[in-house]
Amino acid sequence: MPRRPEATIDKQKTVFFTDLVKPKTLIVLMGPTGVGKTDYSIALAQQLGSPIISCDSRQIYKELNIGVARPTPEQLNAVPHYFIATHSVQDYYSVGKYEQEVLALLDDLFAQHDTLLMVGGSGLYIDAVCFGIDDVPEVDEELRATLTQRMIIEGVDTLSQELKLLDPDYYNEVDIKNPARVLRALEVCIAAGKPFSKIRRNSPKNRNFEVRFIVLNRDREELYNRINLRVNQMMEQGLLEEAKSMLPYRHLNALKTVGYRELFDHFDGKCTLDEAVELIKRNSRRYAKRQLTWFGRYEGAEWREVGS
RNA sequence: GGUGCCAUAGCUCAGUUGGUAGAGCAAAGGACUGAAAAUCCUUGUGUCCCUCGUUCGAUUCGUGGUGGCACCA
């Protein structure tokens, strides 16, 4: 199933741009964690004369550095970067906000550039920028908290039965064993007073730029070796201390992140430090695999193999 | 050198009263619309160390090897 294949510029806008200005292109460079996106993107950005718009749901936080493999100060100075260390873990953030902020930025930057480079591994964020995300009413915290509580106590099955009543269409589509998905659908149904499936149109929004996808990949074994090695390096750089300093925020979404939660478990005495480090490696590997699955659905993407 | 124990999936091991095998972990594949580095679904992985023998049939029993561990010299 191709990901949003019909997402091309609408005819009128194409005419408008070819008449007055050159068409604008957003190059989206993506790849699994640890492939080597950072180095590659800096070289590519310099070649294109473009800044880098980061599309990374974790590097966006200023409190997270070592554990999210933030580019070094030298790398950040080599090319202007956006959306790196710009937000706080303490502030609520979401794909929707990211979409808005990036689109506003693109409007500005395209005035100076014909080609812009976006780089990152957060698939949902890439989708939001390239194809848009439906407008869903705000859900207040209390409702979410109540439903989360009920999810824990009553289990997914009870809540998915409730979803079946409120939104039979979505119930038939959704993975009813997935608490996150059931909970979201349910909270939107309740907050909006209408079925989630009526809100989630899943139709691409028009964008006034073209998109080109590049997926960076490398031999699986080599990728995993790099991930394992990088985790060791993170530990040498002081990931343990960084995680310790994040303990007060461990309940926040931003800290539900590979590299931190495993160390939190260690602090709780649930595992030894060595075990925690091994788990960070494993979970990073699994994350990389999930990313590759996601990227595999971008129709027309150019896959570039890198490596020795 | 002698004696004993062990050798089965990538790893740790279970098992077959003789009918070619299964757990955990690792791994592989997939899903994905405001938590997305999140959350969830599916799936195996095999010269059962080698040799010869007994047997209709040996991974299973026996002989002899090889390797590992332990104890004794």
Side-chain angles (χ1 to χ4, degrees), chain A residues 26 50-55 60 80-84 86-87 93 97-113 116-119 129 208-209:
Chain A
L26 179 69
S50 167
I52 288 175
I53 300 149
S54 172
C55 188
I60 203 169
H81 282 70
Y82 294 92
F83 295 98
I84 292 205
T86 49
H87 295 66
Y93 201 67
K97 291 193 180 191
Y98 180 77
E99 180 196 12
Q100 288 171 9
E101 291 172 7
V102 171
L103 288 182
L105 177 69
L106 290 179
D107 264 353
D108 281 357
L109 292 176
F110 273 134
Q112 317 278 336
H113 301 83
L116 288 171
L117 180 62
M118 188 164 88
V119 180
V129 170
N208 55 7
F209 50 84

Side-chain angles (χ1 to χ4, degrees), chain A residues 37-272:
Chain A
K37 286 192 293 295
T38 302
D39 286 338
Y40 199 95
S41 67
I42 289 167
L44 186 56
Q46 284 170 338
Q47 204 180 316
L48 294 169
S50 167
I52 288 175
I53 300 149
S54 172
C55 188
D56 187 305
S57 70
R58 291 302 187 265
Q59 288 181 2
I60 203 169
Y61 295 114
K62 61 185 176 198
E63 294 90 347
L64 308 183
N65 181 6
I66 299 167
V68 298
R70 184 149 97 204
T72 64
E74 297 75 52
Q75 289 171 322
L76 293 173
N77 282 331
V79 172
H81 282 70
Y82 294 92
F83 295 98
I84 292 205
T86 49
H87 295 66
S88 171
V89 295
Q90 296 185 68
D91 299 327
Y92 177 76
Y93 201 67
S94 69
V95 217
K97 291 193 180 191
Y98 180 77
E99 180 196 12
Q100 288 171 9
E101 291 172 7
V102 171
L103 288 182
L105 177 69
L106 290 179
D107 264 353
D108 281 357
L109 292 176
F110 273 134
Q112 317 278 336
H113 301 83
D114 289 332
T115 307
L116 288 171
L117 180 62
M118 188 164 88
V119 180
S122 300
L124 185 63
Y125 283 36
I126 293 172
D127 266 23
V129 170
C130 300
F131 311 115
I133 196 159
D134 293 305
D135 295 316
V136 175
E138 288 273 321
V139 175
D140 69 72
E141 277 179 46
E142 215 165 301
L143 175 59
R144 176 169 287 194
T146 311
L147 289 173
T148 307
Q149 232 2 70
R150 289 192 51 206
M151 185 65 81
I152 294 165
I153 297 164
E154 299 170 43
V156 224
D157 292 344
T158 311
L159 296 207
S160 42
Q161 284 315 302
E162 221 156 288
L163 178 64
K164 191 179 187 176
L165 295 175
L166 293 175
D167 190 349
D169 289 341
Y170 192 65
Y171 175 86
N172 286 326
E173 259 180 70
V174 77
D175 175 4
I176 54 166
K177 286 184 181 170
N178 189 329
R181 216 127 286 151
V182 170
L183 192 130
R184 165 106 266 246
L186 205 52
E187 71 178 12
V188 172
C189 289
I190 294 168
K194 59 177 174 177
F196 183 47
S197 54
K198 293 278 183 288
I199 296 163
R200 198 187 72 120
R201 303 306 313 159
N202 206 7
S203 59
K205 292 179 183 171
N206 290 324
R207 303 266 103 126
N208 55 7
F209 50 84
E210 293 204 53
V211 180
R212 209 183 121 194
F213 298 111
I214 300 172
V215 183
L216 227 50
N217 194 20
R218 71 206 303 155
D219 174 73
R220 187 66 64 89
E221 195 182 333
E222 195 184 311
L223 176 67
Y224 284 2
N225 286 338
R226 283 171 61 99
I227 288 172
N228 296 341
L229 191 71
R230 193 171 71 168
V231 173
N232 290 340
Q233 286 166 350
M234 286 174 176
M235 290 304 294
E236 284 162 22
Q237 288 163 18
L239 179 58
L240 192 68
E241 286 309 307
E242 186 170 294
K244 203 170 279 174
S245 72
M246 287 296 105
L247 266 169
Y249 308 119
R250 61 183 295 180
H251 59 284
L252 298 170
N253 291 326
L255 271 303
K256 288 182 180 164
T257 301
V258 176
Y260 298 89
R261 25 156 68 176
E262 295 86 353
L263 289 173
F264 294 154
D265 281 346
H266 165 62
F267 297 143
D268 289 342
K270 286 183 190 158
C271 61
T272 66

